[in-house]
């Protein structure tokens, strides 16, 4: 039978490119989990995805109620779940003031980490039930959260500290909106911190569930896809210069189509079944198992993050 993959944030950029790449193989039915139904429908059509190869379902990761509602709707649609890709993200690089999710958590960590944490936790039951030969749970990471790389050392550097801000609920008004408890808000750092959370969460899933369930847990850095909507809130000069800078100076530039193929590989390639791995690609577009920074692979921090996140999303 066809595999069924849920991809969050499949209305643009990497998520859309991977949705298209997987649907085109004919081996996958793609559930596009998106906050803007019309945008997703228009994007899928414009990308040339064949009708019937995908289903669009509403999911707003900035609301934990919406996450629970999505899981209910997905179950009602009576499809198996063979692969889940936590891909959606927001990036607010120039923001000096926090914004908040429906549940009152700082938006970057709320959407990128907490919304996905609840989604993945709830959908584990569905993944466990699937009879598909290789079931996978994939959470997008990034080089920017990894301080063992050049890009990861561009200030402001990621750093979760002792997680005191997260434990305080990332509320802003009566505490901190930053995970490390910093007084002032930094939108660029909040994004990088959320990506560390994504990579720590993948590894903690692996430690807790891989042996028992056989599910593959993986993260990846797909390359710098400098043209996606991720950079929509950046200053215009940055948006103009970033793609050529990546293309000609760092040579880390990757097209949306190529990045989509990479993510599709992590979903479906029979050779990428190893669990607990953070994948990257070399200059010849060959995948390899990459090293995470010390903080992004700290098991103690991952466990603490897991416990606090459970409280914040209401799983006890
Ligand atoms: P895009 O901005 O193009 O795509 C992000 C997607 O997330 C969009 O579909 C967006 O929806 C969706 N989204 C945002 N907020 C929410 C929400 N509250 N609920 C549901 N969906 C939401 O960015 P990319 O394709 O570049 O990013 C995809 C992933 O790749 C991210 O996890 C990012 O961290 C990662 N990544 C990207 C890199 C890059 O260079 N671009 C490098 C490394 C990692 P909408 O269309 O409605 O806005």
């Amino acid at each position: 039978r066809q595999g069924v993959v849920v991809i969050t944030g499949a209305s643009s950029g990497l998520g859309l490119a991977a949705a298209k790449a997987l649907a085109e193989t004919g081996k996958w039915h793609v559930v596009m989990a998106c906050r803007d139904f019309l945008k997703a429908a228009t994007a899928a059509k414009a990308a040339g995805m064949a009708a019937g190869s995908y289903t669009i379902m509403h999911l707003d990761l900035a609301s934990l109620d919406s996450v629970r509602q999505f899981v209910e709707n997905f179950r009602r649609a009576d499809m198996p779940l063979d692969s889940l890709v936590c891909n959606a993200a927001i990036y607010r690089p120039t923001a000096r003031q926090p914004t908040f999710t429906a549940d009152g958590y700082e938006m970057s960590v709320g959407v990128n980490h907490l919304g996905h944490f609840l989604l993945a936790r709830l959908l584990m039951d569905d993944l466990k039930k699937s009879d598909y030969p290789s079931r996978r749970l994939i959470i997008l990471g990034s080089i920017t959260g990894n301080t063992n790389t050049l890009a990861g050392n561009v200030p402001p550097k990621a750093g979760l500290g002792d997680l005191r801000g997260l434990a305080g609920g990332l509320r802003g008004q009566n505490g901190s909106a930053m995970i490390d408890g910093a007084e002032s808000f930094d939108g660029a750092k909040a994004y990088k911190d959320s990506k560390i959370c994504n990579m720590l969460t993948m590894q903690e899933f692996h430690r807790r569930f891989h042996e028992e369930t056989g599910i593959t847990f993986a993260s990846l850095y797909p390359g710098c896809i400098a043209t996606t909507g991720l950079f929509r809130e950046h200053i215009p000069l940055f948006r103009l210069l970033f793609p050529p800078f990546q293309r000609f100076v760092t040579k880390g530039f990757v097209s949306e189509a190529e990045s989509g193929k990479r993510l599709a590989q992590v979903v479906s390639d029979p050779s990428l079944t190893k669990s607990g791995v953070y994948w990257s690609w070399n200059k010849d577009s060959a995948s390899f198992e990459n090293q995470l920074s010390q903080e992004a692979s700290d098991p103690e921090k991952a466990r603490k993050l897991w416990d606090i996140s459970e409280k914040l999303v209401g799983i006890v």
Side-chain angles (χ1 to χ4, degrees):
R1 68 170 172 87
Q2 267 191 324
V4 176
V5 56
V6 169
I7 305 180
T8 68
S11 53
S12 90
L14 175 60
L16 176 63
K20 179 178 159 69
L22 287 163
E24 274 175 355
T25 62
K27 293 182 184 156
W28 289 90
H29 183 82
V30 183
V31 176
M32 301 168 71
C34 298
R35 64 175 165 175
D36 183 336
F37 191 96
L38 267 180
K39 182 178 175 185
T42 309
K45 274 207 187 110
M49 290 173 68
S53 68
Y54 61 92
T55 303
I56 301 169
M57 284 191 194
H58 184 261
L59 168 67
D60 183 354
L61 289 157
S63 157
L64 298 176
D65 274 350
S66 172
V67 172
R68 292 183 187 278
Q69 190 65 54
F70 170 83
V71 171
E72 245 178 65
N73 291 342
F74 177 77
R75 286 179 183 157
R76 261 195 229 124
D78 214 15
M79 283 185 259
L81 178 67
D82 306 316
S83 216
L84 168 64
V85 181
C86 298
N87 161 78
I90 56 146
Y91 175 44
R92 309 190 57 237
T94 56
R96 290 286 166 264
Q97 293 299 328
T99 50
F100 297 95
T101 65
D103 308 276
Y105 303 132
E106 187 281 313
M107 187 67 79
S108 318
V109 176
V111 168
N112 305 357
H113 168 59
L114 291 171
H116 278 138
F117 180 78
L118 178 61
L119 181 73
R121 286 295 305 276
L122 296 176
L123 288 179
M124 270 300 289
D125 285 343
D126 305 72
L127 276 174
K128 280 184 197 165
K129 282 186 203 141
S130 153
D131 62 356
Y132 205 70
S134 176
R135 296 153 299 150
R136 303 184 192 181
L137 198 169
I138 296 149
I139 307 178
L140 260 291
S142 180
I143 199 169
T144 53
N146 274 301
T147 48
N148 59 342
T149 64
L150 195 63
N153 276 295
V154 175
K157 283 204 239 175
L160 308 186
D162 63 4
L163 303 169
R164 68 178 62 183
L166 187 69
L170 290 181
R171 302 278 171 186
Q173 302 89 343
N174 305 317
S176 174
M178 301 296 291
I179 292 182
D180 63 2
E183 261 177 45
S184 56
F185 178 71
D186 183 327
K189 182 173 185 296
Y191 169 81
K192 294 178 186 182
D193 289 350
S194 77
K195 289 281 118 184
I196 298 199
C197 293
N198 287 153
M199 295 179 277
L200 286 173
T201 300
M202 175 282 284
Q203 294 162 87
E204 190 62 15
F205 262 112
H206 167 72
R207 280 188 285 269
R208 289 179 188 235
F209 295 109
H210 175 65
E211 227 175 81
E212 168 204 334
T213 64
I215 294 168
T216 295
F217 300 95
S219 185
L220 65 148
Y221 171 61
C224 184
I225 330 156
T227 51
T228 71
L230 196 66
F231 306 98
R232 71 189 96 181
E233 287 191 34
H234 223 304
I235 54 169
L237 188 64
F238 178 91
R239 293 209 310 268
L240 181 71
L241 297 179
F242 192 51
F245 175 73
Q246 291 295 345
R247 204 186 290 266
F248 302 115
V249 183
T250 69
K251 301 207 163 54
F253 180 89
V254 176
S255 69
E256 293 181 30
E258 172 60 25
S259 69
K261 280 187 206 149
R262 292 178 177 184
L263 178 51
Q265 239 182 305
V266 181
V267 171
S268 66
D269 192 316
S271 66
L272 302 191
T273 52
K274 189 165 172 192
S275 185
V277 172
Y278 166 65
W279 296 106
S280 296
W281 284 260
N282 66 22
K283 293 226 174 337
D284 303 319
S285 258
S287 58
F288 68 94
E289 211 180 309
N290 207 346
Q291 287 295 312
L292 289 162
S293 69
Q294 201 182 1
E295 180 168 37
S297 53
D298 179 343
E300 194 44 45
K301 208 164 262 197
R303 194 191 50 73
K304 197 169 167 188
L305 173 68
W306 183 278
D307 292 345
I308 298 171
S309 303
E310 277 192 334
K311 287 199 188 100
L312 296 182
V313 303
I315 298 177
V316 213

